[in-house]
Amino acid sequence: MVSRVIPVDVFDLVIFGGTGDLARRKILPGLYRRFVAGQMPGDSRIIGAARADLTDEGFREQVRAAIAEFVPKARQDQAAIEGFLGRIHYVSIDATGTGGWAALKALMRENVVRAFYFSVAPSLFGDIAQRLSEYGIADAWSRIVVEKPFGRDLASAKALNAVLAKHFNETQIYRIDHYLGKETVQNLMAVRFANILFEPLWKAEYIDHVQITVAETVGVDGRGAYYDKSGAMRDMVQNHMMQLLCLIAMEPPYHFDPDAVRDEKLKVIRALKPVPKEDIVRGQYGAGKGEKGYLVHSENPASKTESYIALKVQVSNWRWQGVPFYLRTGKRLRARASEIAITFRQPPHAIFDDATGWHANVLVIRLQPNEGMDLMVMIKEPGPGGMRLMQVPLDMSFADALGAEADDVPDAYERLIMDVIRGNQTLFMRGDEVEAAWAWTDPIIQGWEARGDRPQTYDPGSSGPEDALMLMHRDGRRWREIRE
Ligand code: NAD
């Protein structure tokens, strides 16, 4: 199948933090792939801006190395790489001082889309926004892209929103959550709102519960000091998992339009009930199997930061009355797997005698690995011997369905950056959404901090703490197995 590439306008994209880890691993390799796909029209350019004192040529060498390391070998084409490097420039800049800003201004062109990616620590967002406006580098049509974390509580998120709002309108601010750029996550909206099959069943009457899992095998390793101030709730639940929950729980927007979609997501966040302490399980991985344990990495022997969290979340509106959303995420778990599983209720009346064969219908949306969806349905077990039932998946792996190789499905970052150039904010978080998410998160964190709760230790390579199993068992349900 030939993919349809929607054209974009000529652009200049400035990457603050262009020499950093995120730029090297995700942003620059992603842009190379978009260049190959024909989405850097005319003389569109990428301008790295960072502290290091580099020439254009020096930065190009870094970009070349990033492509060699992070783009699959089969997708590396020497002629294309040279063409891409020809679009790359560099300015050495001091985000908190005066150095480099006049040079950046001199480099900018009229009549092209100007986008500024803030791939730097959030403490620099205000300084950069202020200088872009003071030096007249950003105009009314410019866009800024800001990375996570967007605050660490409601107060800091409000402060960050306020500092950006001094220099940019909300329509110019793109708060990136790369989960929203995943093919499957967008497909969730297509499946819900472009089919008649699912939406009539998408409510408490037919859905028993929802599970959202984001399991990682990696630990905090080199990022221990940073992570210790964050923890799984801030790092994963407040942003990524909340966004997934919103896409499942939201009402159909009147149109697939940025504010219509974000209005509906906001309503979901505002409808989230406070979570009582018995519906929260926090964990911290211990030592074993060659792993030194969280406390060693965090460098704080008394750290109470959670590397795992499971929560039972309720959405208080008509559609979701009594339907629990079970969320869990953790590091150093048995497999790297992220999925959403929507479990439907039993048919109201059983006509088959084969009581043991019956399983609930489950719609599984796999985010990684192998992005795709499975719909688990009951069929008759083939062969003679009466009516025995079995469960089979109706499988839709995107790579198979699109005839594409797995590494050819555009990465979330590529897709989102192109949306910035197109000026489409649908898949970016609005300021009020982020604040509402923190307003729900803050009391949960404050609760365990005030109680001095210590997370339960779990074995590295396991499914998480024992108590997390109980969170489901006591409701007569069980977690799906974590497997790749
Ligand atoms: P990094 O430390 O690797 O890079 C930081 C970049 O900022 C460097 O290019 C550096 O030159 C530049 N910089 C620092 N101080 C500066 C100054 N005063 N003036 C000009 N430039 C300055 O950081 P990173 O890992 O690339 O992360 C960047 C942002 O992306 C952070 O907000 C981070 O939270 C976020 N993020 C990173 C990842 C990741 O995987 N690395 C994932 C999600 C979000």
Side-chain angles (χ1 to χ4, degrees):
M1 193 176 134
V2 180
S3 71
R4 284 177 296 169
V5 174
I6 300 172
V8 292
D9 291 333
V10 176
F11 63 87
D12 277 348
L13 170 65
V14 179
I15 308 174
F16 293 105
T19 59
D21 178 64
L22 183 67
R24 249 167 33 82
R25 284 192 308 111
K26 291 289 180 186
I27 304 172
L28 291 161
L31 285 164
Y32 162 73
R33 289 167 54 119
R34 290 299 93 202
F35 173 78
V36 172
Q39 284 195 314
M40 277 189 64
D43 52 359
S44 296
R45 301 179 306 173
I46 295 160
I47 301 163
R51 229 173 359 193
D53 187 15
L54 291 172
T55 58
D56 283 353
E57 211 36 62
F59 184 55
R60 285 179 189 140
E61 284 315 305
Q62 291 197 3
V63 178
R64 189 194 297 278
I67 293 171
E69 190 173 353
F70 296 107
V71 173
K73 288 277 174 290
R75 311 268 156 214
Q76 293 181 24
D77 174 278
Q78 283 319 309
I81 291 173
E82 294 312 319
F84 179 67
L85 292 178
R87 308 290 191 88
I88 302 272
H89 301 266
Y90 183 80
V91 181
S92 168
I93 211 142
D94 178 4
T96 55
T98 53
W101 291 97
L104 180 59
K105 181 174 169 63
L107 209 57
M108 302 309 291
R109 300 176 295 175
E110 297 300 323
N111 302 322
V112 300
V113 172
R114 291 182 190 181
F116 301 93
Y117 199 128
F118 292 15
S119 182
V120 293
S123 57
L124 297 177
F125 290 177
D127 289 306
I128 295 177
Q130 185 190 336
R131 282 161 181 74
L132 283 176
S133 123
E134 269 175 18
Y135 282 83
I137 298 170
D139 56 28
W141 296 275
S142 300
R143 291 118 215 217
I144 61 168
V145 185
V146 292
E147 263 297 337
K148 84 166 201 182
F150 201 86
R152 68 182 312 275
D153 53 20
L154 179 57
S156 53
K158 276 188 169 169
L160 216 44
N161 274 336
V163 82
L164 296 180
K166 267 197 216 164
H167 308 288
F168 295 94
N169 298 322
E170 183 61 35
T171 52
Q172 298 178 280
I173 304 171
Y174 290 70
R175 294 175 196 77
I176 205 161
D177 183 328
H178 69 276
Y179 271 57
L180 290 181
K182 288 181 182 285
E183 185 72 31
T184 350
V185 173
Q186 293 175 64
N187 225 321
L188 183 56
M189 284 189 276
V191 164
R192 277 194 67 188
F193 303 131
N195 295 291
I196 192 70
L197 280 178
F198 294 101
E199 201 50 26
L201 303 181
W202 211 260
K203 52 179 150 182
E205 206 179 338
Y206 299 106
I207 292 182
D208 179 74
H209 74 279
V210 177
Q211 295 185 26
I212 307 179
T213 300
V214 177
E216 297 180 285
T217 49
V218 292
V220 294
D221 303 331
R223 298 198 313 141
Y226 158 78
Y227 191 86
D228 209 48
K229 295 192 194 69
S230 168
M233 185 73 185
R234 288 191 170 97
D235 194 46
M236 279 288 175
V237 178
Q238 183 274 343
N239 40 40
H240 307 313
M241 298 183 86
M242 171 84 77
Q243 290 295 319
L244 299 181
L245 187 154
C246 283
L247 295 180
I248 301 164
M250 73 182 188
E251 297 300 316
Y254 75 91
H255 190 247
F256 192 59
D257 153 281
D259 274 326
V261 170
R262 296 183 302 174
D263 285 346
E264 296 306 334
K265 289 198 295 167
L266 180 62
K267 285 186 209 162
V268 174
I269 302 173
R270 289 190 172 149
L272 294 178
K273 286 190 189 168
V275 184
K277 69 175 192 308
E278 52 279 9
D279 289 350
I280 305 168
V281 176
R282 293 165 69 234
Q284 194 181 68
Y285 61 84
K289 294 189 187 156
E291 164 61 58
K292 292 184 188 135
Y294 179 86
L295 292 174
V296 172
H297 297 294
S298 87
E299 296 162 7
N300 171 8
S303 172
K304 292 179 183 163
T305 302
E306 76 285 356
S307 60
Y308 175 100
I309 190 164
L311 303 138
K312 177 177 166 183
V313 178
Q314 309 265 2
V315 183
S316 63
N317 61 21
W318 279 34
R319 186 188 281 263
W320 297 111
Q321 202 48 48
V323 181
F325 286 69
Y326 298 97
L327 274 45
R328 65 178 163 166
T329 180
K331 294 192 177 294
R332 286 304 265 124
L333 295 176
R334 64 158 21 114
R336 177 170 175 263
S338 300
E339 64 166 39
I340 301 166
I342 293 146
T343 301
F344 291 85
R345 292 189 188 280
Q346 286 193 26
H349 171 66
I351 65 163
F352 301 110
D353 293 335
D354 182 13
T356 52
W358 185 83
H359 294 278
N361 294 131
V362 187
L363 177 64
V364 183
I365 298 139
R366 296 187 307 269
L367 307 179
Q368 68 187 17
N370 186 20
E371 280 194 72
M373 297 194 192
D374 275 334
L375 178 62
M376 309 301 291
V377 294
M378 298 305 299
I379 61 163
K380 176 191 168 297
E381 200 176 295
M387 179 61 86
R388 289 193 311 273
L389 302 177
M390 66 183 286
Q391 193 182 39
V392 293
L394 294 180
D395 178 3
M396 198 180 115
S397 296
F398 294 140
D400 296 348
L402 299 175
E405 289 172 34
D407 69 16
D408 202 28
V409 177
D411 177 73
Y413 276 93
E414 296 172 37
R415 185 188 314 274
L416 292 174
I417 293 170
M418 287 302 121
D419 278 357
V420 173
I421 306 298
R422 288 190 200 101
N424 185 343
Q425 289 187 303
T426 309
L427 300 173
F428 296 82
M429 290 178 293
R430 212 168 50 191
D432 51 2
E433 256 187 278
V434 178
E435 290 185 14
W438 280 119
W440 175 78
T441 308
D442 275 4
I444 298 175
I445 296 177
Q446 285 157 4
W448 72 58
E449 283 179 353
R451 292 189 299 273
D453 290 352
R454 176 162 282 291
Q456 194 180 24
T457 305
Y458 61 94
D459 291 335
S462 71
S463 304
E466 289 285 315
D467 284 357
L469 300 180
M470 287 313 297
L471 189 70
M472 294 285 259
H473 284 181
R474 64 170 205 224
D475 293 346
R477 301 185 176 104
R478 51 203 289 206
W479 292 108
R480 289 166 53 79
E481 206 178 311
I482 299 175
R483 60 163 183 242
E484 282 181 17

